Amino acid sequence: MSSGESALPLEELLPSREVTLSAEVFVHSLAPVGSKQQQDALVERLSGLVEEGLLEDLDLLVWGDSICTGSLLASIGSGKRIVSTIGEFYALAAKRGISISPFFRISKVTSSFADESFRRIVPPCRCLALYAERELVAVFPCLIDGVAYTPEDAVAALERTRESSMSSRALADESI
């Protein structure tokens, strides 16, 4: 990105420190081959932020490898919650001028065996939603001005916020 372009930096996507933040992690399964270590590391870092008081709460939702939006299962319980949440992700992306589309692949599947077709969403294997005062304020992965940001990038930005906050307190304590 050139210096003349105006990008929405990752830190600007995150809410100010004055609000209460909570996080929700979404995964394909609890132990997928190839991404278990990343899932565990992400949750460990977020849990640390909860312990330090930077996050109020952390929740986890397993959303599977794909979501068939026309299924009866997508209209009840956790199926309804998942479809609704993905809709909220798209609404937030439109409102904030970011993109999540490359990470939530939407396709139509046709079965010649059952002579039927359905629409499905293939979500990312790891996703992080941040809420301020219970309102969705950020979702990762996302694209901001063509730059991809992962859930881990969001956690790193939260950790930097914590470190700068701790530095400010230390300077204030020294001035007394």
Side-chain angles (χ1 to χ4, degrees):
M1 177 179 328
S2 71
S3 59
E5 292 180 37
S6 63
L8 177 66
L10 177 60
E11 282 75 12
E12 284 185 30
L13 188 61
L14 300 175
S16 71
R17 292 277 298 129
E18 289 81 43
V19 297
T20 303
L21 273 182
S22 60
E24 194 165 27
V25 175
F26 299 83
V27 296
H28 279 187
S29 74
L30 295 180
V33 175
S35 68
K36 181 184 181 322
Q37 285 181 306
Q38 293 95 338
Q39 287 177 351
D40 289 348
L42 177 63
V43 169
E44 183 177 347
R45 289 172 70 191
L46 288 165
S47 295
L49 294 174
V50 170
E51 288 172 13
E52 294 172 15
L54 188 63
L55 290 175
E56 179 182 58
D57 190 29
L58 175 62
D59 197 7
L60 175 77
L61 184 65
V62 177
W63 59 12
D65 295 341
S66 67
I67 298 108
C68 300
T69 58
S71 168
L72 182 59
L73 299 176
S75 66
I76 59 170
S78 61
K80 183 176 181 176
R81 178 178 171 208
I82 290 167
V83 171
S84 174
T85 298
I86 292 172
E88 289 176 29
F89 291 172
Y90 273 98
L92 176 75
K95 178 180 166 187
R96 299 294 303 269
I98 63 173
S99 176
I100 63 167
S101 294
F103 310 104
F104 290 82
R105 295 185 321 272
I106 299 173
S107 62
K108 183 177 179 181
V109 178
T110 304
S111 168
S112 57
F113 176 73
D115 195 32
E116 64 182 347
S117 65
F118 56 90
R119 182 174 165 247
R120 74 173 179 174
I121 301 170
V122 178
C125 62
R126 286 182 321 286
C127 182
L128 173 64
L130 295 175
Y131 297 85
E133 310 297 333
R134 306 209 183 277
E135 182 180 327
L136 179 66
V137 293
V139 63
F140 300 91
C142 67
L143 286 177
I144 302 173
D145 289 334
V147 178
Y149 292 96
T150 66
E152 292 78 10
D153 294 328
V155 173
L158 290 170
E159 290 168 341
R160 285 191 299 274
T161 301
R162 174 199 64 206
E163 290 164 8
S164 68
S165 165
M166 289 169 41
S167 295
S168 297
R169 278 194 301 254
L171 288 174
D173 289 346
E174 287 176 8
S175 67
I176 295 178

